[in-house]
Amino acid sequence: MKEQELMQKIVSLAKRRGFIFQGSEIYGGLAGTYDYGPLGVSLKKNIKDSWWRKFVENRTDMYGLDASILMSGMVWHASGHADGFVDPLVEDLVTGKRYRADHLLEDAGFEILGKTISEMNQIIQENNILSPEKNPLGEVRTFNMMLQTKMGAVEDSASHTFLRPETAQGIFVNFKNVVDSFSPKLPFGIGQIGKAFRNEITPRDFIFRLREFEQMEIEYFVYPEYWSQEFEYWKDEMLEWMQEIGLDMNHVHEVEISEEDRAHYSKRTIDFEFDYPFGRKELYGLAYRGDYDLSKHIEKSKQRLQILHPETNEWITPHVIEPTFGVDRTVLALLLSVYQEEEIDGESRVYLSFPSSMAPVKIAVSPLLRNKPDLVERAQEVFAKLKQEFGNVMWDDNGNIGKRYRRQDEIGTPYCVVVDFDTLENNEVTVRDRNTTKQERVSIQKLNTYFAEKFETK
Ligand code: ATP
């Protein structure tokens, strides 16, 4: 299958089956925004729950946080975002359309990592690079990606602030609060899941580059001398989680960012890239940020964002390892990883091979025929029992049984349960497995333990 074709199929399945819709669709859509429908919400929740369990709840050295999206403008001056969170912008001189200069140059085959604005201008001039509409381009300039907003009724400069472009700063500004409340010892971390906003010049590639998206971030505070081993440890933890949720690890690549391309304060950064149909691009990042952020906030806020060293009794500024994950890019990479097409007995079928922990619907329950009251009644009993135990269980009596299986395959439901006439005699139902399409009879009495075992191992 051609890569672009695969992307089209994913986008259309996501809309048709209620995973992901274009934002503000009935008004023509709002660029860079997507809305998650019932199944998308469920998938996203499974991803976030799994992340939270592994990285926060199941550990004794992690603290959870939910900071405000709106923060004092001072935060963004201290962190460097107000001045430095910029992308190179270039305009088509005829249409006025704006593009990311680095993307245009990349598409034209130039290596742009680490290039300055004037170097990009030089490449454009020397090679007569044109816009996608084949028009001349203007000068490359920097464009701040933070979305500005106004707060309160008074119009003055103090009322201007930004929607956060990352969740990380919410963690740094709460460092002291967590330390004061819990007196943690190094190493320890603070984890947060939340929305972030970036005024991307050209949002594109479905939910890959959005203007509103969600991040799952950890700031892990360590003794400076141990940063290197902690970095390795977090790299392995990240890889383990990617595998756990069912990403195709053949499509995940670790890319060491070279010194010249790293932020000046970072001694090491790894990008985890994924083979998307539109190219190999960033999925997650892992950065050693030294004491850059805490030191900047100490300087600007005049607060002691430090910890007392238990042996020397001196105040030290911990160093930070930052594993960062995009929720939406996870959704996309996961959909691409589990999308399967196959031919069975001359018929083609599409299914999503989610691990059960990620599947938006765990089990679908149907009566063989929906116009037979005794079948429906029995199926309703089975449905209620399973729903109580497993939560995300769907009632599906639309169309014939073949159509139901196809629909459930397309949304990745691991098991379908069908109540038929034999059930009324022997109290057994048919359970059909999504991946193998094999069916077996299971007694209603044993259904809960049957599924509990299945879900434990998958
Ligand atoms: P890119 O180079 O692709 O713009 P980035 O290096 O700016 O990404 P980070 O600042 O490291 O990204 O953000 C952390 C994570 O947040 C990324 O690894 C990605 O998963 C997610 N992310 C960043 N920007 C976007 C966006 N515009 N839309 C969706 N997810 C995003």
Side-chain angles (χ1 to χ4, degrees):
M1 190 182 347
K2 285 208 199 75
E3 294 291 85
Q4 232 20 60
E5 205 180 308
L6 170 63
M7 197 61 201
Q8 272 308 315
K9 287 182 174 172
I10 298 280
V11 174
S12 106
L13 186 150
K15 177 174 161 54
R16 188 163 27 97
R17 292 294 182 213
F19 282 88
I20 303 163
F21 312 120
Q22 171 71 62
S24 311
E25 192 178 15
I26 62 166
Y27 290 103
L30 181 67
T33 66
Y34 278 89
D35 296 343
Y36 285 81
L39 297 186
V41 173
S42 177
L43 173 57
K44 218 155 69 133
K45 182 170 183 302
N46 292 340
I47 291 169
K48 290 190 281 185
D49 285 353
S50 158
W51 188 92
W52 192 259
R53 254 194 323 274
K54 178 174 175 67
F55 295 121
V56 181
E57 238 165 55
N58 286 356
R59 301 177 60 113
T60 52
D61 59 348
M62 285 290 299
Y63 298 84
L65 183 77
D66 184 11
S68 282
I69 288 172
L70 294 170
M71 302 176 79
S72 159
M74 293 291 292
V75 171
W76 308 113
H77 286 285
S79 67
H81 284 81
D83 297 322
F85 195 59
V86 292
D87 267 345
L89 171 107
V90 70
E91 221 171 275
D92 177 315
L93 289 177
V94 178
T95 63
K97 272 197 189 160
R98 294 168 155 199
Y99 297 97
R100 279 271 295 262
D102 52 339
H103 288 168
L104 288 189
L105 292 177
E106 251 174 355
D107 293 347
F110 292 92
E111 177 58 63
I112 45 82
L113 255 180
K115 291 266 185 297
T116 62
I117 294 287
S118 60
E119 284 167 334
M120 287 189 216
N121 271 319
Q122 201 179 344
I123 298 176
I124 289 178
Q125 273 163 22
E126 284 174 2
N127 299 279
N128 194 26
I129 306 283
L130 299 173
S131 75
E133 285 90 12
K134 305 281 172 259
N135 296 318
L137 293 165
E139 285 274 305
V140 181
R141 353 182 223 126
T142 54
F143 172 79
N144 195 300
M145 289 166 70
M146 283 199 294
L147 268 160
Q148 219 181 43
T149 189
K150 289 177 198 155
M151 285 183 79
V154 184
E155 265 293 329
D156 60 16
S157 61
S159 67
H160 285 264
T161 188
F162 303 96
L163 301 181
R164 66 181 177 199
E166 59 173 36
T167 59
Q169 296 306 321
I171 297 181
F172 293 120
V173 303
N174 279 289
F175 173 84
K176 189 172 183 310
N177 288 330
V178 173
V179 168
D180 289 349
S181 309
F182 297 92
S183 312
K185 310 251 174 318
L186 291 179
F188 74 93
I190 303 178
Q192 170 164 232
I193 300 178
K195 290 268 187 173
F197 301 81
R198 296 183 187 180
N199 202 359
E200 296 280 356
I201 297 167
T202 41
R204 60 179 183 180
D205 299 321
F206 193 35
I207 51 170
F208 175 80
R209 191 169 297 287
L210 296 166
R211 288 188 172 135
E212 173 175 344
F213 56 99
E214 229 172 337
Q215 292 183 316
M216 305 179 283
E217 295 198 298
I218 296 167
E219 303 302 328
Y220 197 72
F221 301 99
V222 302
Y223 286 114
E225 59 272 31
Y226 295 130
W227 78 264
S228 172
Q229 66 206 60
E230 297 285 2
F231 191 97
E232 285 299 324
Y233 167 80
W234 279 102
K235 187 181 74 164
D236 292 344
E237 286 289 290
M238 291 179 83
L239 286 166
E240 196 177 279
W241 184 73
M242 293 179 219
Q243 193 146 22
E244 261 170 46
I245 62 167
L247 292 187
D248 182 345
M249 297 309 282
N250 295 320
H251 288 178
V252 174
H253 308 276
E254 260 174 65
V255 181
E256 218 33 84
I257 304 300
S258 67
E259 193 179 345
E260 64 200 41
D261 296 327
R262 280 195 308 260
H264 63 91
Y265 47 77
S266 176
K267 288 206 186 75
R268 195 173 172 200
T269 299
I270 286 179
D271 277 355
F272 289 97
E273 295 188 340
F274 189 82
D275 295 313
Y276 300 97
F278 43 85
R280 186 185 284 189
K281 300 256 157 76
E282 178 170 332
L283 174 64
Y284 308 137
L286 174 63
Y288 168 47
R289 299 179 63 89
D291 64 356
Y292 176 81
D293 304 270
L294 286 181
S295 294
K296 286 283 175 195
H297 287 301
I298 291 171
E299 186 189 322
K300 298 282 185 211
S301 70
K302 312 274 185 274
Q303 302 279 320
R304 181 180 273 155
L305 311 184
Q306 290 181 309
I307 210 157
L308 206 53
H309 194 296
E311 281 158 22
T312 64
N313 231 14
E314 280 170 13
W315 289 100
I316 62 160
T317 312
H319 282 208
V320 160
I321 309 289
E322 180 188 74
T324 171
F325 305 68
V327 177
D328 312 83
R329 288 188 190 177
T330 310
V331 171
L332 180 55
L334 190 52
L335 286 173
L336 289 162
S337 297
V338 300
Y339 183 88
Q340 318 281 346
E341 280 180 7
E342 68 176 12
E343 289 268 326
I344 303 180
D345 303 329
E347 279 207 35
S348 64
R349 74 163 182 143
V350 168
Y351 69 104
L352 302 182
S353 60
F354 287 121
S356 335
S357 58
M358 291 295 123
V361 176
K362 309 290 178 213
I363 307 164
V365 180
S366 305
L368 182 66
L369 300 169
R370 69 170 169 185
N371 55 0
K372 297 281 175 209
D374 40 357
L375 283 188
V376 172
E377 192 183 330
R378 199 78 181 96
Q380 281 284 1
E381 281 168 28
V382 173
F383 172 65
K385 180 175 146 134
L386 289 173
K387 191 149 183 70
Q388 189 177 24
E389 184 70 18
F390 301 106
N392 250 325
V393 177
M394 188 188 260
W395 174 259
D396 189 357
D397 62 1
N398 246 335
N400 64 33
I401 207 75
K403 280 206 180 117
R404 290 178 212 162
Y405 284 158
R406 233 165 298 145
R407 186 163 52 239
Q408 295 300 331
D409 281 349
E410 267 203 319
I411 65 173
T413 307
Y415 301 100
C416 289
V417 170
V418 179
V419 170
D420 56 22
F421 293 106
D422 288 343
T423 311
L424 304 179
E425 305 295 320
N426 60 17
N427 264 334
E428 285 179 358
V429 291
T430 299
V431 178
R432 181 220 187 230
D433 181 296
R434 172 199 64 203
N435 289 3
T436 62
T437 73
K438 294 238 159 53
Q439 307 188 1
E440 60 178 323
R441 298 288 288 182
V442 181
S443 106
I444 292 176
Q445 241 194 346
K446 295 197 178 131
L447 263 188
N448 279 7
T449 37
Y450 172 88
F451 284 123
E453 277 169 24
K454 292 274 187 197
F455 294 152
E456 215 165 81
T457 51
K458 276 196 186 176

